[in-house]
Amino acid sequence: MFKNKIKYHFTPLTITSVLMFLICFQFSVTAQNKAWNPAPFEVIKSDYKTFKTTQYAHVFSGSKHNIVRLAPELKGLQGVELPLDTYKSGTNSALKLKFKENVVLLIGIFQENGSEYLQSNKLQKAKLVLENGVTITGLPPVNVYAISFAKGTQTILPDAKGLYAILGVVKSNQKLEFRNAALPDGKLWNPTFIVEGFSDEKPLFEIIGGENKPVVDEGIPGTEENQGGFEGGRVVKVGDNYHMFPTERAGEKGVDYYYDRVKTKIGHWTSKDAIHWKREATIYQASGTYAVTEDDNPMNDRRAAIWSYMPVFNEKANKWYGYYLAYTVSKEIEPNHSFGRIWRCESTIDGINGIGGPYKDMGIIMEPGLDSQPWEGRQGVASFFPYQAGDKWLGFYSGAYPFDSWADYPKKSGKGWFVALAESNSLEGPWKRRNKGIKPIKSIHPFFVENPIVSQLPNGLYIAIFDGGPDGWGHHLPNMIGYSLSKDGYQWSEARYLPIETKVNKWWDIMRTPLCLIPEGNDVYTIVYAAIDLKKRFHPIGMVKVKLNKEVMQSRLEELKKE
């Protein structure tokens, strides 16, 4: 990246001094930014709920707005969930809180002019303690002010008009030192999204636990030739055995990390518990050969990178089929994965136990062509997953890096990760884009749905579990596994997102793709997922357990039937 390299010379004394300074500085920052001491309080004559001020906390009832960033001083305090609409319109009733001692109330003020937000100049005897101290999805940056209240029942800001947030109550002797927490604008997370368990509705899934570290990580047997870890694919369960077919970002020893996502393999791993895994075989291996032209040209190797292997058992044929993605790879044009083609293969061994193959290719079932649409973009067709709906087979297919029009082909692409449905009378095909693929499905999320895998819940509801998009690489997306529901497999609901880190240690920075939603009995499901720890080149595999709420499942089905 940098052409000019500057050389610095350090003596041992200099290095020691620098290290001591950094240690002392880090200790000072950590000590200064410790969580403030909460003070107890009670909401008087109101049905307003309280919330714990943490990541994903639901700040306003009647909304999807949640905290995605907060200064550590606020963590663990107790806030009050205010009704969004009445506070924005200034029609809210007075809020009364009862304090058992003298306290300091922490108020979040949005940094935007207008009558719908309470303005900081309307506060009396308030002290600014945290600039940019909280990020709330879809809303302007938040400054945090401290207001002192005496022991007893107090009416909170009775003359204030406009929306604000009550983020916590601390003891009056708490030392509140001003600083700029420098947290980002919540409007970067647009649109807002529903976090499971942090909204007005009951969650469909409860996170009940899982492994607090990766289950497949660098250094375990089977990863010796894998430089970059894993991404995408599917896990299925046959009898008591789990079978995982991940994309292995194999790369090449001595070659930089960018090549990991070019020279890929499809591996086959097995496990008895979805925790301890053994690598069995390589199903497919990509060539890793870069394209020689920038367009979709047969001169290029169209199997340069292979991804997203999806095994599906065909009961009629009594054998396993595999659907996978092969790319042309450009070295110069974003995205380097271009002009995806979906291949179908079949196990050469009949029966449910033939899942390990070997597999033989049966040909391409979807590819760029005359029936493609500009939204499929330079990367499409970028994934495929088939499932049965009535007497038809449907398949989620995807596109990415869309063209505004074909005039932008082949390299002037935008941003967006979309899905639509293809249709067939059989798993073999032919597969056709439904409604000629004119529009992608935006009811799930308007611009990011990646690698959906479909199954059915016990009451017949279809569920698609998918990669909800990163909070990284310049994107501000949920950074959680998402799911969408459908009553018929055709119409799909707005996504909900699973905050796995609320019940297991968060070892990742960027959540990526779920590989399964496997029922285990007693309404418990296993999710195996790929994620990224930015401190390392190798992208590991994790596992978590969730529990289905059947009452919520049935109510969601009834809601979808009314639509």
Side-chain angles (χ1 to χ4, degrees):
M1 182 180 293
F2 299 102
K3 293 182 180 179
N4 299 319
K5 296 182 179 179
I6 301 174
K7 294 183 178 180
Y8 295 92
H9 299 279
F10 295 103
T11 66
L13 181 60
T14 304
I15 294 172
T16 302
S17 299
V18 170
L19 288 174
M20 288 301 296
F21 170 78
L22 290 173
I23 292 169
C24 292
F25 177 77
Q26 180 64 40
F27 178 80
S28 173
V29 169
T30 302
Q32 178 183 351
N33 298 344
K34 287 194 302 184
W36 289 333
N37 294 319
F41 67 92
E42 179 184 349
V43 181
I44 302 298
K45 294 182 180 179
S46 170
D47 58 357
Y48 292 0
K49 297 178 182 178
T50 60
F51 63 84
K52 190 174 182 180
T53 306
T54 59
Q55 188 177 30
Y56 306 132
H58 187 48
V59 186
F60 303 112
S61 59
S63 81
K64 302 174 190 173
H65 303 294
N66 293 80
I67 293 174
V68 286
R69 298 278 197 283
L70 75 158
E73 294 93 324
L74 302 173
K75 190 173 182 180
L77 299 180
Q78 190 175 41
V80 180
E81 193 176 296
L82 304 178
L84 181 82
D85 290 339
T86 59
Y87 270 79
K88 269 195 168 185
S89 63
T91 60
N92 54 286
S93 57
L95 172 66
K96 293 185 178 182
L97 301 180
K98 185 177 180 180
F99 305 118
K100 296 182 178 180
E101 58 186 277
N102 295 340
V103 299
V104 175
L105 184 68
L106 300 173
I107 302 288
I109 300 296
F110 295 98
Q111 300 174 40
E112 187 164 301
N113 295 326
S115 60
E116 63 181 347
Y117 298 109
L118 176 62
Q119 301 300 303
S120 59
N121 59 10
K122 300 297 182 182
L123 296 175
Q124 295 182 0
K125 298 181 180 180
K127 174 186 176 183
L128 177 62
V129 292
L130 287 173
E131 189 174 355
N132 302 305
V134 181
T135 301
I136 300 175
T137 56
L139 293 174
V142 179
N143 289 336
V144 180
Y145 288 81
I147 305 175
S148 296
F149 284 92
K151 176 181 177 181
T153 300
Q154 304 287 349
T155 302
I156 307 303
L157 304 180
D159 300 321
K161 299 296 181 184
L163 188 67
Y164 60 91
I166 296 181
L167 298 168
V169 180
V170 299
K171 296 179 178 294
S172 60
N173 62 357
Q174 173 71 61
K175 187 176 182 181
L176 305 177
E177 294 186 356
F178 169 81
R179 74 181 183 96
N180 186 347
L183 298 180
D185 186 345
K187 287 190 173 182
L188 294 171
W189 282 262
N190 188 25
T192 52
F193 47 87
I194 301 170
V195 182
E196 194 86 329
F198 293 88
S199 72
D200 294 331
E201 63 184 28
K202 290 183 178 179
L204 178 64
F205 291 105
E206 177 191 357
I207 314 298
I208 58 173
E211 293 301 295
N212 290 315
K213 60 182 181 180
V215 295
V216 186
D217 206 349
E218 186 174 19
I220 76 163
T223 64
E224 294 85 358
E225 301 301 319
N226 187 339
Q227 318 308 310
F230 305 92
E231 167 51 20
R234 192 184 186 196
V235 176
V236 296
K237 193 175 184 182
V238 178
D240 294 330
N241 293 313
Y242 297 87
H243 295 262
M244 178 168 64
F245 296 84
T247 302
E248 298 179 345
R249 304 170 69 255
E252 192 171 297
K253 290 183 179 179
V255 180
D256 207 354
Y257 68 90
Y258 67 86
Y259 197 52
D260 298 349
R261 63 195 308 272
V262 177
K263 193 169 185 179
T264 57
K265 296 179 182 179
I266 303 299
H268 175 209
W269 295 68
T270 60
S271 175
K272 290 288 187 181
D273 56 9
I275 299 172
H276 304 91
W277 291 89
K278 177 186 177 184
R279 194 177 192 279
E280 302 287 351
T282 297
I283 303 298
Y284 284 102
Q285 180 166 335
S287 71
T289 303
Y290 283 105
V292 296
T293 73
E294 63 187 26
D295 60 341
D296 187 14
N297 192 308
M299 290 178 63
N300 300 323
D301 187 335
R302 289 174 167 172
R303 295 172 63 90
I306 293 177
W307 289 73
S308 302
Y309 187 89
M310 299 292 174
V312 177
F313 187 69
N314 186 338
E315 294 183 359
K316 186 176 179 180
N318 190 35
K319 65 176 61 179
W320 284 93
Y321 287 4
Y323 299 83
Y324 66 93
L325 169 62
Y327 282 121
T328 298
V329 178
S330 170
K331 199 169 188 177
E332 307 296 334
I333 303 172
E334 186 183 19
N336 62 344
H337 289 157
S338 305
F339 314 123
R341 286 173 162 80
I342 305 300
W343 287 74
R344 184 179 75 83
C345 60
E346 295 181 0
S347 175
T348 58
I349 299 176
D350 290 346
I352 195 74
N353 292 320
I355 187 169
Y359 285 82
K360 62 179 179 180
D361 281 325
M362 305 304 293
I364 295 168
I365 63 163
M366 287 194 76
E367 63 181 329
L370 294 177
D371 54 352
S372 298
Q373 296 295 329
W375 67 262
E376 295 178 31
R378 185 175 171 88
Q379 196 167 348
V381 179
S383 70
F384 186 82
F385 187 87
Y387 59 95
Q388 192 163 15
D391 59 353
K392 292 283 188 180
W393 285 89
L394 300 178
F396 268 120
Y397 71 96
S398 69
Y401 293 83
F403 302 118
D404 284 339
S405 71
W406 288 124
D408 293 334
Y409 175 89
K411 58 183 181 180
K412 186 182 176 183
S413 59
K415 293 294 177 68
W417 291 258
F418 303 107
V419 294
L421 290 174
E423 190 173 56
S424 175
N425 291 323
S426 71
L427 276 169
E428 293 81 8
W431 290 88
K432 294 184 178 180
R433 293 162 170 83
R434 293 194 76 246
N435 303 319
K436 299 182 178 179
I438 293 174
K439 292 182 179 180
I441 298 170
K442 293 191 175 183
S443 58
I444 302 173
H445 187 281
F447 62 88
F448 199 103
V449 178
E450 195 167 42
N451 297 321
I453 293 176
V454 179
S455 55
Q456 284 184 279
L457 298 176
N459 67 345
L461 261 178
Y462 290 84
I463 181 167
I465 188 167
F466 61 92
D467 176 353
D471 180 10
W473 304 318
H475 303 294
H476 296 280
L477 289 158
N479 203 27
M480 289 176 276
I481 292 169
Y483 76 85
S484 173
L485 300 174
S486 174
K487 63 184 177 184
D488 56 9
Y490 290 85
Q491 305 297 321
W492 289 89
S493 71
E494 180 182 3
R496 274 77 169 169
Y497 297 88
L498 302 176
I500 292 172
E501 60 265 44
T502 59
K503 292 293 178 69
V504 299
N505 292 341
K506 186 181 178 184
W507 53 262
W508 64 91
D509 296 294
I510 297 176
M511 175 59 65
R512 290 307 317 268
T513 306
L515 280 70
C516 61
L517 181 67
I518 296 176
E520 306 288 13
N522 297 319
D523 303 324
V524 173
Y525 289 75
T526 296
I527 299 173
V528 176
Y529 59 91
I532 298 173
D533 178 350
L534 291 173
K535 296 185 295 296
K536 56 200 295 186
R537 174 175 175 174
F538 194 96
H539 298 178
I541 294 286
M543 187 275 281
V544 69
K545 300 280 189 179
V546 299
K547 189 173 181 67
L548 174 71
N549 185 320
K550 284 187 173 178
E551 180 182 334
V552 174
M553 174 187 68
Q554 192 58 34
S555 66
R556 296 276 182 90
L557 176 59
E558 297 305 320
E559 290 170 7
L560 291 172
K561 285 181 177 179
K562 294 176 184 177
E563 295 179 358

